[in-house]
Amino acid sequence: LQLNIPGAVFVLVKDGKLLLSKGYGFANLDKKIVVTPERTLFRLGSISKLLTATAIMQLAEVGKLNLFEDINTYLKEFQIPAKYSQPITVANLLTHTAGFEEHSIGLETLNPSELIPLGKYFANRIPPRVMPPGKTISYSNHGMGLAGYLVEVVAGMPFEQYVQENIFQPLEMYHSSFEIPAHLADDLAVGYEYESDNYQAVPFSYIKIPPGGSLNATVTDISHFIMAHLQNGCYKNRQILYQTTALEMHQQQFTNDPRLPGFTYGFYEDYKNNQRVIQ
């Protein structure tokens, strides 16, 4: 099957070790830059949400926030309208059960000057509440973006700074960022669309709620994050989550029906060949 993908990268880890990493094809067709596992940056989209959820669990395990608290308790610049009797909790955000309507128009921009702080963004663009919280899974970029804003409020620092200090640095993810620094910009893979036997470069788009989708990383960096979760919060001799916290994060926390897979705190749950998978 010919998929017309100009470049890709693969990584395999087991028992806390990197077994294989390999790049294929080109990160930039015009400049003939090949994909390199240790250097090529890919926009990883909603994998960003797993780092946001990990940050929330770090703050929860040290008592800086309560997963079952009304998020309005922590919000200062704005409040979530009390449309239903049940408040939206932090756990609702991590399991995509807050009951927000999903907005995608205006979520991205080609102009970085249009990016504004998360607090100001949400003060003007809180999605409507259309379902009571805790009733059904409804995938929400804004819900996880709001979780990232809670990280800022509770930790007292920008989301990017918190993740740099508490996830990227201890996991040696030195080529990862939510805001691409100048020294890494040339390593970002170009996105392409394939039409009429030609590859057309797609302009880089900026997501206005970075915690929901702006992560850029190399595959080797992401392998460190994978290893940390496979080892219940431990990477090498560093613990980014207590083991009990990691196990709680990996457990099913909500399902629409007991016969179906559901959500953990941040991960999809699934079953493949009778093997439980979180992804």
Side-chain angles (χ1 to χ4, degrees):
L1 181 64
Q2 175 70 2
L3 297 178
N4 299 309
I5 297 172
V9 68
F10 177 82
V11 67
L12 176 67
V13 302
K14 181 178 173 64
D15 299 329
K17 295 180 180 179
L18 178 64
L19 294 188
L20 176 66
S21 63
K22 189 169 182 179
Y24 301 87
F26 293 93
N28 187 311
L29 290 171
D30 293 333
K31 297 180 179 180
K32 296 294 186 278
I33 299 173
V34 298
V35 173
T36 306
E38 299 81 14
R39 180 170 177 176
T40 304
L41 295 172
F42 285 91
R43 165 65 65 80
L44 297 181
S46 285
I47 293 174
S48 309
K49 295 177 173 66
L50 294 178
L51 280 85
T52 301
T54 299
I56 286 284
M57 297 303 291
Q58 288 178 332
L59 293 167
E61 73 180 6
V62 296
K64 290 191 174 181
L65 57 74
N66 185 328
L67 295 179
F68 305 104
E69 185 70 71
D70 182 347
I71 60 174
N72 278 335
T73 303
Y74 305 105
L75 298 175
K76 296 179 175 63
E77 291 188 56
F78 58 91
Q79 291 281 284
I80 304 297
K83 184 173 181 178
Y84 300 98
S85 58
Q86 308 99 311
I88 295 172
T89 67
V90 182
N92 292 146
L93 300 179
L94 298 190
T95 55
H96 296 272
T97 58
F100 289 125
E101 184 177 64
E102 181 66 355
H103 278 177
S104 57
I105 295 175
L107 184 61
E108 300 182 38
T109 178
L110 299 179
N111 186 353
S113 67
E114 293 182 8
L115 299 177
I116 61 176
L118 280 171
K120 291 183 178 179
Y121 175 89
F122 279 110
N124 295 306
R125 283 183 60 92
I126 297 174
R129 298 181 65 183
V130 295
M131 292 179 287
K135 297 298 183 183
T136 190
I137 294 169
S138 180
Y139 190 83
S140 177
N141 285 294
H142 284 84
M144 197 62 79
L146 194 53
Y149 176 61
L150 288 179
V151 171
E152 289 194 348
V153 173
V154 172
M157 66 180 72
F159 174 79
E160 165 83 6
Q161 180 184 348
Y162 179 88
V163 173
Q164 281 283 353
E165 294 179 5
N166 295 278
I167 298 178
F168 292 157
Q169 290 180 15
L171 296 185
E172 299 177 349
M173 297 173 67
Y174 300 132
H175 296 83
S176 301
S177 69
F178 281 80
E179 302 170 354
I180 305 171
H183 72 282
L184 295 178
D186 289 342
D187 294 330
L188 186 66
V190 177
Y192 294 93
E193 289 182 348
Y194 187 79
E195 294 182 0
S196 304
D197 296 327
N198 286 302
Y199 291 97
Q200 300 293 330
V202 177
F204 186 83
S205 64
Y206 297 86
I207 299 172
K208 295 179 181 179
I209 44 173
S214 290
L215 175 64
N216 307 282
T218 64
V219 72
T220 47
D221 273 15
I222 285 297
S223 75
H224 302 171
F225 183 75
I226 295 170
M227 283 187 265
H229 272 283
L230 285 172
Q231 299 176 123
N232 294 325
C234 183
Y235 173 73
K236 293 186 176 178
N237 61 345
R238 299 161 206 150
Q239 203 82 28
I240 64 163
L241 291 171
Y242 300 149
Q243 182 175 4
T244 52
T245 304
L247 291 172
E248 179 185 10
M249 184 176 176
H250 298 161
Q251 290 175 357
Q252 185 190 90
Q253 300 295 340
F254 187 89
T255 179
N256 288 328
D257 186 282
R259 295 167 293 180
L260 297 174
F263 256 103
T264 78
Y265 286 141
F267 289 90
Y268 279 112
E269 185 181 48
D270 202 356
Y271 288 87
K272 304 288 187 183
N273 299 321
N274 297 316
Q275 174 72 44
R276 180 177 180 265
V277 177
I278 59 173
Q279 56 191 24

PDB file of all heavy atoms in Angstrom, residues 206-217:
ATOM      1  N   TYR A 206      -0.197  27.275  14.471  1.00  0.00           N
ATOM      2  CA  TYR A 206      -0.012  27.435  15.907  1.00  0.00           C
ATOM      3  C   TYR A 206      -1.345  27.184  16.612  1.00  0.00           C
ATOM      4  O   TYR A 206      -2.375  27.745  16.229  1.00  0.00           O
ATOM      5  CB  TYR A 206       0.490  28.843  16.229  1.00  0.00           C
ATOM      6  CG  TYR A 206       1.842  29.139  15.636  1.00  0.00           C
ATOM      7  CD1 TYR A 206       1.953  29.607  14.326  1.00  0.00           C
ATOM      8  CD2 TYR A 206       3.001  28.947  16.368  1.00  0.00           C
ATOM      9  CE1 TYR A 206       3.193  29.866  13.764  1.00  0.00           C
ATOM     10  CE2 TYR A 206       4.250  29.212  15.812  1.00  0.00           C
ATOM     11  CZ  TYR A 206       4.338  29.673  14.516  1.00  0.00           C
ATOM     12  OH  TYR A 206       5.571  29.920  13.962  1.00  0.00           O
ATOM     13  N   ILE A 207      -1.325  26.336  17.612  1.00  0.00           N
ATOM     14  CA  ILE A 207      -2.536  25.985  18.350  1.00  0.00           C
ATOM     15  C   ILE A 207      -2.667  26.931  19.539  1.00  0.00           C
ATOM     16  O   ILE A 207      -1.712  27.127  20.307  1.00  0.00           O
ATOM     17  CB  ILE A 207      -2.490  24.524  18.807  1.00  0.00           C
ATOM     18  CG1 ILE A 207      -2.409  23.617  17.574  1.00  0.00           C
ATOM     19  CG2 ILE A 207      -3.715  24.166  19.641  1.00  0.00           C
ATOM     20  CD1 ILE A 207      -2.162  22.162  17.888  1.00  0.00           C
ATOM     21  N   LYS A 208      -3.834  27.509  19.700  1.00  0.00           N
ATOM     22  CA  LYS A 208      -4.017  28.559  20.701  1.00  0.00           C
ATOM     23  C   LYS A 208      -4.117  28.026  22.124  1.00  0.00           C
ATOM     24  O   LYS A 208      -4.046  28.808  23.082  1.00  0.00           O
ATOM     25  CB  LYS A 208      -5.251  29.393  20.347  1.00  0.00           C
ATOM     26  CG  LYS A 208      -5.097  30.167  19.035  1.00  0.00           C
ATOM     27  CD  LYS A 208      -6.335  30.976  18.688  1.00  0.00           C
ATOM     28  CE  LYS A 208      -6.169  31.703  17.373  1.00  0.00           C
ATOM     29  NZ  LYS A 208      -7.384  32.478  16.996  1.00  0.00           N
ATOM     30  N   ILE A 209      -4.312  26.727  22.260  1.00  0.00           N
ATOM     31  CA  ILE A 209      -4.286  26.110  23.598  1.00  0.00           C
ATOM     32  C   ILE A 209      -3.184  25.043  23.600  1.00  0.00           C
ATOM     33  O   ILE A 209      -3.454  23.853  23.420  1.00  0.00           O
ATOM     34  CB  ILE A 209      -5.653  25.515  24.002  1.00  0.00           C
ATOM     35  CG1 ILE A 209      -6.281  24.732  22.844  1.00  0.00           C
ATOM     36  CG2 ILE A 209      -6.596  26.599  24.479  1.00  0.00           C
ATOM     37  CD1 ILE A 209      -7.546  23.985  23.251  1.00  0.00           C
ATOM     38  N   PRO A 210      -1.917  25.461  23.772  1.00  0.00           N
ATOM     39  CA  PRO A 210      -0.782  24.541  23.651  1.00  0.00           C
ATOM     40  C   PRO A 210      -0.897  23.247  24.461  1.00  0.00           C
ATOM     41  O   PRO A 210      -0.488  22.195  23.957  1.00  0.00           O
ATOM     42  CB  PRO A 210       0.405  25.408  24.125  1.00  0.00           C
ATOM     43  CG  PRO A 210      -0.012  26.802  23.778  1.00  0.00           C
ATOM     44  CD  PRO A 210      -1.494  26.855  24.037  1.00  0.00           C
ATOM     45  N   PRO A 211      -1.435  23.262  25.700  1.00  0.00           N
ATOM     46  CA  PRO A 211      -1.501  21.990  26.442  1.00  0.00           C
ATOM     47  C   PRO A 211      -2.324  20.911  25.749  1.00  0.00           C
ATOM     48  O   PRO A 211      -2.185  19.729  26.068  1.00  0.00           O
ATOM     49  CB  PRO A 211      -2.149  22.403  27.769  1.00  0.00           C
ATOM     50  CG  PRO A 211      -1.854  23.857  27.914  1.00  0.00           C
ATOM     51  CD  PRO A 211      -1.907  24.394  26.513  1.00  0.00           C
ATOM     52  N   GLY A 212      -3.158  21.316  24.789  1.00  0.00           N
ATOM     53  CA  GLY A 212      -3.990  20.345  24.096  1.00  0.00           C
ATOM     54  C   GLY A 212      -3.400  19.795  22.822  1.00  0.00           C
ATOM     55  O   GLY A 212      -3.911  18.801  22.298  1.00  0.00           O
ATOM     56  N   GLY A 213      -2.291  20.406  22.295  1.00  0.00           N
ATOM     57  CA  GLY A 213      -1.817  19.888  21.026  1.00  0.00           C
ATOM     58  C   GLY A 213      -0.559  20.479  20.432  1.00  0.00           C
ATOM     59  O   GLY A 213      -0.285  20.251  19.263  1.00  0.00           O
ATOM     60  N   SER A 214       0.249  21.220  21.186  1.00  0.00           N
ATOM     61  CA  SER A 214       1.391  21.928  20.584  1.00  0.00           C
ATOM     62  C   SER A 214       2.747  21.272  20.811  1.00  0.00           C
ATOM     63  O   SER A 214       3.773  21.860  20.475  1.00  0.00           O
ATOM     64  CB  SER A 214       1.456  23.370  21.118  1.00  0.00           C
ATOM     65  OG  SER A 214       0.390  24.130  20.620  1.00  0.00           O
ATOM     66  N   LEU A 215       2.778  20.070  21.361  1.00  0.00           N
ATOM     67  CA  LEU A 215       4.062  19.434  21.659  1.00  0.00           C
ATOM     68  C   LEU A 215       4.849  19.141  20.389  1.00  0.00           C
ATOM     69  O   LEU A 215       4.323  18.601  19.427  1.00  0.00           O
ATOM     70  CB  LEU A 215       3.830  18.129  22.427  1.00  0.00           C
ATOM     71  CG  LEU A 215       5.075  17.274  22.715  1.00  0.00           C
ATOM     72  CD1 LEU A 215       6.037  18.020  23.642  1.00  0.00           C
ATOM     73  CD2 LEU A 215       4.667  15.932  23.322  1.00  0.00           C
ATOM     74  N   ASN A 216       6.125  19.501  20.420  1.00  0.00           N
ATOM     75  CA  ASN A 216       7.075  19.155  19.364  1.00  0.00           C
ATOM     76  C   ASN A 216       8.219  18.386  20.019  1.00  0.00           C
ATOM     77  O   ASN A 216       8.757  18.825  21.035  1.00  0.00           O
ATOM     78  CB  ASN A 216       7.632  20.410  18.695  1.00  0.00           C
ATOM     79  CG  ASN A 216       6.532  21.332  18.201  1.00  0.00           C
ATOM     80  OD1 ASN A 216       5.938  21.096  17.171  1.00  0.00           O
ATOM     81  ND2 ASN A 216       6.249  22.384  18.965  1.00  0.00           N
ATOM     82  N   ALA A 217       8.573  17.232  19.442  1.00  0.00           N
ATOM     83  CA  ALA A 217       9.592  16.406  20.090  1.00  0.00           C
ATOM     84  C   ALA A 217      10.219  15.452  19.092  1.00  0.00           C
ATOM     85  O   ALA A 217       9.648  15.160  18.037  1.00  0.00           O
ATOM     86  CB  ALA A 217       8.987  15.616  21.254  1.00  0.00           C
TER      87      ALA A 217
END
